[in-house]
Amino acid sequence: MSARIAVTGANGFVGRAVTRALLDAGHEPLGIVRHGAGARMVEVPSLDAITPDAFEGCACVIHLAARVHVMNDAAADPLTAFRAINVEGALKTADAAHRAGATRFVFVSSIKALAELDHGEPLKETDARHPPDPYGVSKAEAELALQAFGARTGMEIVIARPPLVYGPDVRANFLALMRAIAKGMPLPIGAVDARRSLVYVDNLASALVACAVHPLAANRLFHVTDGEDPGVAELARMLGRHLNRPARLLPVPVGLLKAAGRLTAKSAQIERLTGSLRVDSTLIRDVLGWRPSYSLDAGLAETARWFLSQH
């Protein structure tokens, strides 16, 4: 059954994929964006200014708009800045949507609301939240605040936690890794066997559509991944194969990398690089019957094809 579904941040990396997925599934997406209103889009200057009019006729909202995690945050008080958009902004959006008659709100959180490392076991939805930084704290607080809002109002709150999202148009560290491999730069990660969960952007998009329309998704929290956890070195080799440039990996011992991190005040970055972050996403498969359309290898191939077309 077709539905009108609003997508905040519809012109972003994930938002564009979600809009395509909704159209492919026969739904009517309505983009809520800060800039660039046009066909199927409504422009709002900020989440503070959002009103019920923006969600007229929408049965559900997929909320992607957020202040995203950055490595070198210039804000004087990062936590306050994250809370303003990721917590208060999400609540104002949910309230406006509820007053407009929407019955479900899909909040796209992050695995950082839970943890940054898996400490020996894949992370499950039932694990206690231990967010590692201001961004993760804001996402964890938003999850709890929205669940409380749903309990008060009866609005169905669905939470999706992805790990690292990759795909065409990816930015930040994943793009930097592809650039380094494509340039033939030696990378000191040949001895890093830490395993990391990822999710291809179109896999995440299809999961969010399922969260928006499946009856059994109501008031549930799901982890969303490709279902494969490559090692850091393995991931670089796979990317190198698709970039037609074998990755040059130096087998630097992990202990030496950590020592270098301490000397250069980059211990946090080295810990993320050398620590495992495996995420269990069996719940969304079991409850909603969702399956990723792309394997890890197929997703990396599409991402590398886009990269090569741009460089």
Side-chain angles (χ1 to χ4, degrees), residues 69-299:
H69 175 66
V70 292
M71 291 303 296
N72 298 300
D73 201 327
D77 184 351
L79 182 54
T80 297
F82 279 121
R83 280 174 170 155
I85 296 175
N86 297 351
V87 184
E88 284 89 353
L91 281 171
K92 288 176 181 176
T93 304
D95 180 65
H98 174 65
R99 286 189 283 134
T103 57
R104 181 173 291 189
F105 189 86
V106 179
F107 177 64
V108 184
S109 184
S110 166
I111 200 61
K112 276 182 167 284
L114 194 60
E116 190 152 64
L117 299 173
D118 63 37
H119 300 297
E121 293 290 338
L123 299 174
K124 296 185 177 182
E125 292 87 347
T126 52
D127 289 341
R129 294 175 178 88
H130 296 289
D133 56 24
Y135 169 74
V137 169
S138 72
K139 285 293 192 178
E141 290 180 350
E143 291 181 3
L144 293 170
L146 286 166
Q147 287 172 332
F149 176 82
R152 288 195 309 272
T153 63
M155 191 179 207
E156 296 173 352
I157 304 296
V158 187
I159 297 169
R161 286 186 189 143
L164 186 150
V165 185
Y166 68 100
D169 292 321
V170 71
R171 295 292 183 263
N173 289 343
F174 202 92
L175 178 59
L177 176 62
M178 286 196 292
R179 284 174 172 158
I181 293 171
K183 291 177 180 177
M185 294 173 59
L187 301 170
I189 59 173
V192 178
D193 59 2
R195 309 195 76 79
R196 313 286 291 190
S197 294
L198 307 90
V199 62
Y200 182 59
V201 65
D202 284 358
N203 288 341
L204 176 58
S206 69
L208 294 178
V209 173
C211 288
V213 302
H214 199 297
L216 296 180
N219 301 314
R220 301 299 295 262
L221 189 159
F222 299 111
H223 290 168
V224 185
T225 78
D226 289 342
E228 302 173 61
D229 306 325
V232 171
E234 178 188 4
L235 176 64
R237 293 189 184 98
M238 293 174 75
L239 277 170
R241 186 172 71 251
H242 291 301
L243 291 168
N244 303 313
R245 189 72 182 264
R248 296 179 61 195
L249 305 184
L250 305 179
V252 178
V254 171
L256 192 57
L257 285 175
K258 290 183 177 181
R262 289 190 293 271
L263 289 172
T264 58
K266 293 185 177 180
S267 290
Q269 293 94 316
I270 297 299
E271 284 297 326
R272 281 193 292 270
L273 177 67
T274 59
S276 289
L277 180 58
R278 294 164 299 155
V279 179
D280 186 328
S281 60
T282 56
L283 185 65
I284 191 171
R285 301 160 195 255
D286 293 344
V287 174
L288 306 187
W290 173 82
R291 297 291 184 277
S293 300
Y294 289 80
S295 66
L296 171 66
D297 192 61

